[in-house]
């Protein structure tokens, strides 16, 4: 889990979730410049992706771990997971997400 100061608050979440979207097969990332100057993230896993709460939490923890290791600076992002992420391998998810976070541009 990310520390609380690295996660998005509810007030900032709505602004970031309407930001620039970058789509990938297993997830969508919505990005906007960070209002605080630090990177902040939130992960959204719907019931369509994983019906059980324990599965949603496990996916969220997996993504937070990847984000913690690659966390780019100076922007806030919301990562929406898509169907199929549960069936995909951890390695492919990690590689795709790391590449996406490194190459993302906010203008």
């Amino acid at each position: 889990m990310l520390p609380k100061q690295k996660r998005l608050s509810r007030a900032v979440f709505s602004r970031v979730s309407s930001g620039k979207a970058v789509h990938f097969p297993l997830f969508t990332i919505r990005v906007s410049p960070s209002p605080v100057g630090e990177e902040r993230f939130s992960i959204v896993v719907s019931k369509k992706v994983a019906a059980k709460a324990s599965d949603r939490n496990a996916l969220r923890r997996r993504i937070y771990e990847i984000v913690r290791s690659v966390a780019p600076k100076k922007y806030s992002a919301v990562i929406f997971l898509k169907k199929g992420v549960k069936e995909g391998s951890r390695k492919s998810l990690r590689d795709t997400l790391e590449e996406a976070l490194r190459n993302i541009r906010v203008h």
Side-chain angles (χ1 to χ4, degrees):
M1 200 73 168
L2 283 178
K4 190 169 185 174
Q5 64 268 20
K6 297 286 184 181
R7 288 181 270 159
L8 287 173
S9 66
R10 288 183 189 263
V12 178
F13 180 88
S14 61
R15 186 179 62 78
V16 173
S17 64
S18 63
K20 176 186 172 189
V22 183
H23 302 280
F24 295 91
L26 298 177
F27 54 87
T28 296
I29 302 177
R30 293 218 172 241
V31 185
S32 75
S34 181
V36 184
E38 288 186 7
E39 68 277 3
R40 291 181 183 260
F41 293 91
S42 185
I43 313 299
V44 178
V45 185
S46 73
K47 286 186 179 180
K48 288 182 179 182
V49 173
K52 295 165 89 178
S54 58
D55 293 339
R56 291 192 301 274
N57 290 334
L59 285 169
R60 193 173 291 116
R61 283 191 301 269
R62 188 182 310 167
I63 300 300
Y64 274 133
E65 186 59 37
I66 296 168
V67 166
R68 184 185 337 210
S69 66
V70 185
K73 309 292 182 212
K74 306 293 182 189
Y75 70 82
S76 298
V78 178
I79 301 171
F80 296 90
L81 299 184
K82 296 180 180 179
K83 285 184 180 179
V85 72
K86 212 165 92 169
E87 291 77 30
S89 72
R90 288 182 179 219
K91 175 110 174 82
S92 67
L93 177 62
R94 175 178 278 283
D95 293 343
T96 307
L97 187 56
E98 284 179 352
E99 182 181 342
L101 290 173
R102 280 192 195 105
N103 297 329
I104 204 156
R105 302 276 184 248
V106 180
H107 298 288

